[in-house]
Amino acid sequence: MRRAIFLGLSALVGTAALTGCSQKPELYAEEGWVRLAAVPGRPAAAYFIVHGGPKPLDLISVSSDVAITSEMHEGGMAMKKVDKVSIPAGGTVAFQPGGRHVMLYDMNPGVKPGRILSLLLTFSDGTRLRQGARVIGAADPAPQGS
């Protein structure tokens, strides 16, 4: 009987220890890519996925060193500019064609398909993340997994 109680308590303590050691979610981005414009001089579009950290944050800007300006937008044909995108704690927010995306204006004309460029994501708490983004041509299929 004592042994059964001891084993039961040991299992309970072990479960509590494992639960206490579970890692909190970490803020990060992945799967970045940029589609170049079909017409020279028009904006490119950037896409990526943001995974929320331990607390909710707002994504307040996305920029690139190869574009003069950038804007976050929502929607496809009837897109609208947004000043922030809420990233829930532990949640996932996708920037993808037809939905949320970043317009990159006045891109450096030397940027060609196959290049990896850098996006800088800035959050409401001052956190900044760098995300690589593979450049594809206007008519190229979206990268796998995006």
Side-chain angles (χ1 to χ4, degrees):
M1 175 77 162
R2 280 186 177 167
R3 183 166 188 212
I5 291 171
F6 175 76
L7 290 175
L9 286 174
S10 294
L12 183 60
V13 169
T15 301
L18 287 175
T19 303
C21 291
S22 66
Q23 294 192 354
K24 291 183 179 179
E26 182 179 332
L27 178 65
Y28 70 99
E30 66 177 347
E31 298 184 24
W33 60 287
V34 170
R35 182 181 300 281
L36 294 175
V39 178
R42 301 291 300 164
Y47 309 102
F48 47 88
I49 298 172
V50 179
H51 297 273
K55 61 183 178 182
L57 290 173
D58 290 329
L59 176 61
I60 58 172
S61 74
V62 179
S63 61
S64 175
D65 56 356
V66 297
I68 301 296
T69 59
S70 61
E71 295 177 353
M72 293 186 293
H73 288 188
E74 290 183 349
M77 296 303 282
M79 65 181 155
K80 66 176 185 170
K81 180 183 172 189
V82 295
D83 294 324
K84 64 182 180 179
V85 174
S86 296
I87 310 297
T92 300
V93 176
F95 283 66
Q96 58 194 12
R100 287 181 198 91
H101 58 279
V102 176
M103 299 301 293
L104 300 171
Y105 295 93
D106 301 311
M107 291 272 293
N108 180 321
V111 174
K112 302 293 182 208
R115 178 175 174 178
I116 304 293
L117 58 84
S118 178
L119 300 174
L120 179 63
L121 287 66
T122 304
F123 296 87
S124 54
D125 69 347
T127 299
R128 291 181 175 188
L129 296 177
R130 286 241 177 244
Q131 172 61 48
R134 184 166 55 114
V135 177
I136 65 168
D140 294 340
Q144 293 296 326
S146 297

